[in-house]
Amino acid sequence: MPFFKAEKKAVNDLWYPRTVTVGRPLEMEDVCKRIAEMSTVSEPDSKAVLSALGKVLGDLMNTGRTVHLEGLGYFYYSCLSTGQGKEAKEDVDSDCIVGTRVQFLPERRVRQDGTVTRNLVDDSVFWVNVEDMAAANAGEVSSPDEDEGESEFPLG
C-alpha cells in the first residue's frame, strides 16, 4: 500500500495529499528474489539481466529510438536546453543542449469499463495516511525529495 501525508501549499494556503516513502529503497537483490519466485529464472540470472538492462536501454536510445518493454512501458531520451531561445531556427544546434534525461511512460491498459490506467498501477491500490501508521512514529518516513544525498531515481 502506498502512503501519503497532508501538506499545506504556500501558494494558496490549502492542504493536499503528498506521497511519502517508508524505509529505504528496495534494492536489486529484492527485485531479483521476487523475479526468481515468480518465474523459472534464478536470482543470479535475474541480476545479470537487470544489470545489463540499463546499458542496453542506453545503447538502443542512442540510436534515436524509443524502447518499448511490453508490460512495463516506454523509455526515451529528452534533452534539456539552456533556457535561452534562439531568434533564428538556424542558430539552434547541439550546443544548446545542456543535459539528457531518460523519460519513462508506463504501459497503458484499457479496463472493461473503458477507463485507461497504467500497468504499474494495480487496480487494488489502497492509499493510507502515513500519520495513521506506526512507522510514522518510528521516524522511518521520508518524502522522495527529502532523502539525504542526491537522488538516484532516473526520473527525478
Side-chain angles (χ1 to χ4, degrees), residues 35-49:
I35 291 172
E37 290 170 2
M38 298 174 67
S39 69
T40 59
V41 179
S42 69
E43 282 184 49
D45 288 343
S46 298
K47 186 169 185 176
V49 170

PDB file of all heavy atoms in Angstrom, residues 35-49:
ATOM      1  N   ILE A  35      11.545 -11.881  -8.769  1.00  0.00           N
ATOM      2  CA  ILE A  35      11.512 -12.449 -10.125  1.00  0.00           C
ATOM      3  C   ILE A  35      11.746 -13.952 -10.062  1.00  0.00           C
ATOM      4  O   ILE A  35      11.048 -14.728 -10.714  1.00  0.00           O
ATOM      5  CB  ILE A  35      12.541 -11.753 -11.044  1.00  0.00           C
ATOM      6  CG1 ILE A  35      12.100 -10.320 -11.329  1.00  0.00           C
ATOM      7  CG2 ILE A  35      12.731 -12.533 -12.339  1.00  0.00           C
ATOM      8  CD1 ILE A  35      13.128  -9.486 -12.061  1.00  0.00           C
ATOM      9  N   ALA A  36      12.724 -14.380  -9.254  1.00  0.00           N
ATOM     10  CA  ALA A  36      13.025 -15.808  -9.124  1.00  0.00           C
ATOM     11  C   ALA A  36      11.831 -16.571  -8.548  1.00  0.00           C
ATOM     12  O   ALA A  36      11.550 -17.695  -8.960  1.00  0.00           O
ATOM     13  CB  ALA A  36      14.260 -16.010  -8.259  1.00  0.00           C
ATOM     14  N   GLU A  37      11.116 -15.950  -7.610  1.00  0.00           N
ATOM     15  CA  GLU A  37       9.939 -16.604  -7.020  1.00  0.00           C
ATOM     16  C   GLU A  37       8.796 -16.740  -8.020  1.00  0.00           C
ATOM     17  O   GLU A  37       8.009 -17.670  -7.933  1.00  0.00           O
ATOM     18  CB  GLU A  37       9.443 -15.796  -5.815  1.00  0.00           C
ATOM     19  CG  GLU A  37      10.352 -15.844  -4.616  1.00  0.00           C
ATOM     20  CD  GLU A  37       9.956 -14.834  -3.538  1.00  0.00           C
ATOM     21  OE1 GLU A  37       8.942 -14.117  -3.713  1.00  0.00           O
ATOM     22  OE2 GLU A  37      10.675 -14.759  -2.526  1.00  0.00           O
ATOM     23  N   MET A  38       8.710 -15.814  -8.969  1.00  0.00           N
ATOM     24  CA  MET A  38       7.581 -15.778  -9.907  1.00  0.00           C
ATOM     25  C   MET A  38       7.882 -16.449 -11.240  1.00  0.00           C
ATOM     26  O   MET A  38       7.015 -16.487 -12.109  1.00  0.00           O
ATOM     27  CB  MET A  38       7.178 -14.325 -10.159  1.00  0.00           C
ATOM     28  CG  MET A  38       6.697 -13.589  -8.930  1.00  0.00           C
ATOM     29  SD  MET A  38       6.395 -11.844  -9.255  1.00  0.00           S
ATOM     30  CE  MET A  38       5.002 -11.947 -10.359  1.00  0.00           C
ATOM     31  N   SER A  39       9.105 -16.925 -11.438  1.00  0.00           N
ATOM     32  CA  SER A  39       9.479 -17.458 -12.744  1.00  0.00           C
ATOM     33  C   SER A  39      10.417 -18.653 -12.584  1.00  0.00           C
ATOM     34  O   SER A  39      10.710 -19.077 -11.472  1.00  0.00           O
ATOM     35  CB  SER A  39      10.152 -16.373 -13.581  1.00  0.00           C
ATOM     36  OG  SER A  39      11.427 -16.061 -13.039  1.00  0.00           O
ATOM     37  N   THR A  40      10.900 -19.135 -13.689  1.00  0.00           N
ATOM     38  CA  THR A  40      11.877 -20.231 -13.669  1.00  0.00           C
ATOM     39  C   THR A  40      13.304 -19.695 -13.722  1.00  0.00           C
ATOM     40  O   THR A  40      14.250 -20.469 -13.838  1.00  0.00           O
ATOM     41  CB  THR A  40      11.643 -21.169 -14.865  1.00  0.00           C
ATOM     42  OG1 THR A  40      11.776 -20.422 -16.075  1.00  0.00           O
ATOM     43  CG2 THR A  40      10.269 -21.813 -14.807  1.00  0.00           C
ATOM     44  N   VAL A  41      13.467 -18.403 -13.628  1.00  0.00           N
ATOM     45  CA  VAL A  41      14.784 -17.776 -13.701  1.00  0.00           C
ATOM     46  C   VAL A  41      15.379 -17.689 -12.297  1.00  0.00           C
ATOM     47  O   VAL A  41      14.697 -17.315 -11.347  1.00  0.00           O
ATOM     48  CB  VAL A  41      14.674 -16.361 -14.328  1.00  0.00           C
ATOM     49  CG1 VAL A  41      16.023 -15.680 -14.385  1.00  0.00           C
ATOM     50  CG2 VAL A  41      14.048 -16.441 -15.704  1.00  0.00           C
ATOM     51  N   SER A  42      16.655 -18.011 -12.162  1.00  0.00           N
ATOM     52  CA  SER A  42      17.316 -17.951 -10.859  1.00  0.00           C
ATOM     53  C   SER A  42      17.621 -16.503 -10.481  1.00  0.00           C
ATOM     54  O   SER A  42      17.619 -15.608 -11.334  1.00  0.00           O
ATOM     55  CB  SER A  42      18.619 -18.751 -10.899  1.00  0.00           C
ATOM     56  OG  SER A  42      19.567 -18.100 -11.726  1.00  0.00           O
ATOM     57  N   GLU A  43      17.930 -16.293  -9.193  1.00  0.00           N
ATOM     58  CA  GLU A  43      18.309 -14.946  -8.741  1.00  0.00           C
ATOM     59  C   GLU A  43      19.543 -14.422  -9.471  1.00  0.00           C
ATOM     60  O   GLU A  43      19.537 -13.286  -9.945  1.00  0.00           O
ATOM     61  CB  GLU A  43      18.535 -14.928  -7.231  1.00  0.00           C
ATOM     62  CG  GLU A  43      17.264 -14.908  -6.432  1.00  0.00           C
ATOM     63  CD  GLU A  43      17.534 -14.783  -4.935  1.00  0.00           C
ATOM     64  OE1 GLU A  43      18.327 -13.898  -4.542  1.00  0.00           O
ATOM     65  OE2 GLU A  43      16.956 -15.577  -4.180  1.00  0.00           O
ATOM     66  N   PRO A  44      20.617 -15.210  -9.600  1.00  0.00           N
ATOM     67  CA  PRO A  44      21.799 -14.701 -10.322  1.00  0.00           C
ATOM     68  C   PRO A  44      21.495 -14.366 -11.786  1.00  0.00           C
ATOM     69  O   PRO A  44      21.994 -13.370 -12.314  1.00  0.00           O
ATOM     70  CB  PRO A  44      22.818 -15.837 -10.220  1.00  0.00           C
ATOM     71  CG  PRO A  44      22.412 -16.594  -9.003  1.00  0.00           C
ATOM     72  CD  PRO A  44      20.916 -16.499  -8.949  1.00  0.00           C
ATOM     73  N   ASP A  45      20.665 -15.189 -12.441  1.00  0.00           N
ATOM     74  CA  ASP A  45      20.305 -14.890 -13.829  1.00  0.00           C
ATOM     75  C   ASP A  45      19.489 -13.610 -13.915  1.00  0.00           C
ATOM     76  O   ASP A  45      19.677 -12.786 -14.819  1.00  0.00           O
ATOM     77  CB  ASP A  45      19.537 -16.056 -14.447  1.00  0.00           C
ATOM     78  CG  ASP A  45      20.431 -17.263 -14.733  1.00  0.00           C
ATOM     79  OD1 ASP A  45      21.657 -17.096 -14.762  1.00  0.00           O
ATOM     80  OD2 ASP A  45      19.872 -18.360 -14.911  1.00  0.00           O
ATOM     81  N   SER A  46      18.565 -13.423 -12.973  1.00  0.00           N
ATOM     82  CA  SER A  46      17.760 -12.199 -12.933  1.00  0.00           C
ATOM     83  C   SER A  46      18.663 -10.981 -12.777  1.00  0.00           C
ATOM     84  O   SER A  46      18.486  -9.979 -13.458  1.00  0.00           O
ATOM     85  CB  SER A  46      16.765 -12.229 -11.766  1.00  0.00           C
ATOM     86  OG  SER A  46      15.854 -13.271 -11.897  1.00  0.00           O
ATOM     87  N   LYS A  47      19.638 -11.104 -11.866  1.00  0.00           N
ATOM     88  CA  LYS A  47      20.544  -9.980 -11.627  1.00  0.00           C
ATOM     89  C   LYS A  47      21.381  -9.671 -12.865  1.00  0.00           C
ATOM     90  O   LYS A  47      21.598  -8.505 -13.193  1.00  0.00           O
ATOM     91  CB  LYS A  47      21.442 -10.255 -10.430  1.00  0.00           C
ATOM     92  CG  LYS A  47      22.287  -9.060 -10.063  1.00  0.00           C
ATOM     93  CD  LYS A  47      22.985  -9.213  -8.746  1.00  0.00           C
ATOM     94  CE  LYS A  47      23.700  -7.920  -8.407  1.00  0.00           C
ATOM     95  NZ  LYS A  47      24.331  -7.955  -7.113  1.00  0.00           N
ATOM     96  N   ALA A  48      21.833 -10.702 -13.550  1.00  0.00           N
ATOM     97  CA  ALA A  48      22.630 -10.488 -14.756  1.00  0.00           C
ATOM     98  C   ALA A  48      21.822  -9.740 -15.811  1.00  0.00           C
ATOM     99  O   ALA A  48      22.315  -8.798 -16.441  1.00  0.00           O
ATOM    100  CB  ALA A  48      23.116 -11.827 -15.308  1.00  0.00           C
ATOM    101  N   VAL A  49      20.577 -10.132 -15.990  1.00  0.00           N
ATOM    102  CA  VAL A  49      19.729  -9.484 -16.987  1.00  0.00           C
ATOM    103  C   VAL A  49      19.435  -8.036 -16.585  1.00  0.00           C
ATOM    104  O   VAL A  49      19.572  -7.112 -17.391  1.00  0.00           O
ATOM    105  CB  VAL A  49      18.411 -10.267 -17.182  1.00  0.00           C
ATOM    106  CG1 VAL A  49      17.421  -9.481 -18.017  1.00  0.00           C
ATOM    107  CG2 VAL A  49      18.701 -11.620 -17.823  1.00  0.00           C
TER     108      VAL A  49
END
